[in-house]
C-alpha cells in the first residue's frame, strides 16, 4: 500500500494570503496567526504575499486570480463572517465557501478556507488567537500540508 501524506516542510515554498477587511479586528489576528505559522515553518517573509479584499464575498475572485499566476504553492483565504439580524450572513458565508472550493477546483492550486462563520464577535475572537486557538494558523498549516501532499502525488496525465 502506498500512503500519501503531506508534511509541514516549507522552505522554498511560496504562499499567498487573501484577507477580508470586513471585521478587520478579527481578520488581522487571523493574518498574524497565518504569517506566524509560515515563519515558524521556515517560509521566508518574501515568499508570502498578502492581498486585502473588502469582504469575504470577494475572497474567491482574488484567490483564483492569484492561483492562476502559477506563482504560489497554495492560497490561504481568511475572513470572518458574523451572523447579523438578516439572512445576509448566509449569502456571504455560502458564496465564500462555494467560491473558494471552485477556485481550487478550477486552478488545481490548493485554496484554503480560513473563514470564520460565527454567531457573535466573541466567538470569532475566541478562534482568532483566543481560547479556541487561531484558525489563521490552522489554515496556514493546511496550506503547508496540501502543498507538500500535491508534490508527492503521482503526476497527472497530460491531455
Ligand atoms: N463580509 C464579511 O467578510 N463578513 C461579514 O460578516 C459580512 N457581513 O456580515 O455583511 C460581510 N459583508 C460584506 C461582503 O463580504 C461584501 O464585501 C459586500 O457585500 C460587497 O460585495
Amino acid at each position: 500500500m502506498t500512503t500519501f501524506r503531506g508534511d509541514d516542510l516549507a522552505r522554498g515554498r511560496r504562499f499567498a494570503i487573501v484577507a477580508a477587511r470586513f471585521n478587520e479586528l478579527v481578520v488581522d489576528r487571523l493574518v498574524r496567526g497565518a504569517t506566524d505559522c509560515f515563519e515558524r515553518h521556515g517560509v521566508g517573509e518574501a515568499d508570502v504575499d498578502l492581498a486585502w479584499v473588502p469582504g469575504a464575498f470577494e475572497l474567491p475572485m482574488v484567490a483564483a486570480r492569484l492561483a492562476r499566476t502559477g506563482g504560489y504553492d497554495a492560497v490561504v483565504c481568511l475572513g470572518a463572517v458574523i451572523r447579523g439580524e438578516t439572512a445576509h450572513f448566509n449569502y456571504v458565508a455560502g458564496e465564500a465557501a462555494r467560491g473558494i472550493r471552485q477556485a481550487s477546483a478550477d486552478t488545481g492550486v490548493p485554496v484554503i478556507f480560513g473563514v470564520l462563520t460565527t454567531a457573535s464577535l466573541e466567538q470569532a475572537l475566541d478562534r482568532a488567537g483566543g481560547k479556541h486557538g487561531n484558525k489563521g494558523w490552522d489554515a496556514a498549516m493546511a496550506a503547508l500540508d496540501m502543498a507538500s501532499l500535491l508534490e508527492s502525488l503521482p503526476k497527472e496525465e497530460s491531455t
Side-chain angles (χ1 to χ4, degrees):
M1 181 175 75
T2 306
T3 302
F4 300 103
R5 198 187 163 107
D7 59 37
D8 58 9
L9 297 178
R11 215 169 290 281
R13 296 200 196 285
R14 287 184 50 78
F15 296 95
I17 297 171
V18 188
R21 272 198 309 276
F22 207 100
N23 294 316
E24 195 164 1
L25 174 71
V26 176
V27 181
D28 249 338
R29 296 176 190 196
L30 297 176
V31 170
R32 243 176 292 143
T35 52
D36 268 5
C37 177
F38 284 139
E39 191 188 321
R40 301 259 186 112
H41 286 86
V43 184
E45 201 192 325
D47 292 326
V48 181
D49 292 339
L50 171 62
W52 286 96
V53 297
F57 192 83
E58 283 75 33
L59 289 168
M61 187 207 176
V62 173
R65 164 80 189 271
L66 291 174
R68 277 197 301 270
T69 64
Y72 303 100
D73 294 285
V75 179
V76 175
C77 292
L78 300 176
V81 189
I82 300 177
R83 190 187 296 281
E85 289 179 351
T86 69
H88 195 67
F89 167 96
N90 297 314
Y91 291 101
V92 173
E95 285 306 306
R98 192 197 57 77
I100 287 169
R101 182 193 57 74
Q102 192 68 46
S104 235
D106 288 350
T107 63
V109 175
V111 182
I112 306 299
F113 184 69
V115 180
L116 296 175
T117 55
T118 64
S120 67
L121 176 62
E122 187 189 357
Q123 282 182 357
L125 289 170
D126 284 347
R127 291 157 178 79
K131 67 181 179 207
H132 291 304
N134 189 313
K135 299 299 171 195
W137 174 290
D138 297 347
M141 283 303 294
L144 293 172
D145 192 339
M146 284 299 289
S148 148
L149 175 65
L150 286 188
E151 201 174 73
S152 75
L153 290 177
K155 298 285 166 262
E156 287 179 85
E157 272 183 34
S158 48
T159 49

